[in-house]
Amino acid sequence: MNRFQSHSSSREFRGAFLSVAAFLCIMILFLGILGQTSDAAAAEQKTSLERALRNGCLHCYASEGFYPESLSYLIDHYGITYDEDRFIIHYEPIGSNLPPTIMVIERKGGILP
């Protein structure tokens, strides 16, 4: 056996190990950035839904003279759509001349029914 052959195989192993380690570091970084982007998009969807519900209520009051008595009225008459598997909407009317209490809750991992 030649003394140069043994060094060559350890260099190949070290090079392969460094390549795999670099790949894993890049993948971990990529997945971390992807998770942050996904969280930001979900927060923006929630904010957008809350804004649409409040604007729909105000539009109803301005055009019909009363706030919607239920969430279903608001959805049916003002074209609001949302992902029911992702969000829960708590809609509590206070009176026909007072704005309702609106709360949007995001479901995470199937914890909420």
Side-chain angles (χ1 to χ4, degrees):
M1 179 181 243
N2 190 340
R3 66 180 180 172
F4 296 111
Q5 289 176 343
S6 64
H7 292 292
S8 153
S9 65
S10 74
R11 285 183 190 167
E12 289 175 8
F13 175 74
R14 189 178 332 147
F17 177 75
L18 289 175
S19 295
V20 169
F23 175 76
L24 289 176
C25 288
I26 291 171
M27 284 301 295
I28 290 170
L29 181 65
F30 175 74
L31 292 175
I33 291 171
L34 185 64
Q36 289 176 349
T37 304
S38 177
D39 291 345
E44 182 62 32
Q45 285 179 350
K46 180 182 174 187
T47 302
S48 178
L49 178 57
E50 288 173 344
R51 189 178 308 125
L53 290 167
R54 293 188 198 288
N55 287 342
C57 286
L58 289 174
H59 188 264
C60 178
Y61 187 74
S63 64
E64 299 182 36
F66 60 89
Y67 286 102
E69 67 271 0
S70 67
L71 179 61
S72 61
Y73 184 87
L74 186 61
I75 290 172
D76 293 341
H77 292 88
Y78 291 93
I80 294 177
T81 60
Y82 69 100
D83 185 0
E84 294 179 13
D85 295 331
R86 187 168 192 155
F87 298 106
I88 297 171
I89 299 174
H90 172 76
Y91 184 91
E92 184 177 348
I94 298 171
S96 64
N97 62 341
L98 296 172
T101 301
I102 299 172
M103 187 177 1
V104 176
I105 303 167
E106 183 179 359
R107 296 179 193 238
K108 291 190 179 186
I111 295 172
L112 297 174

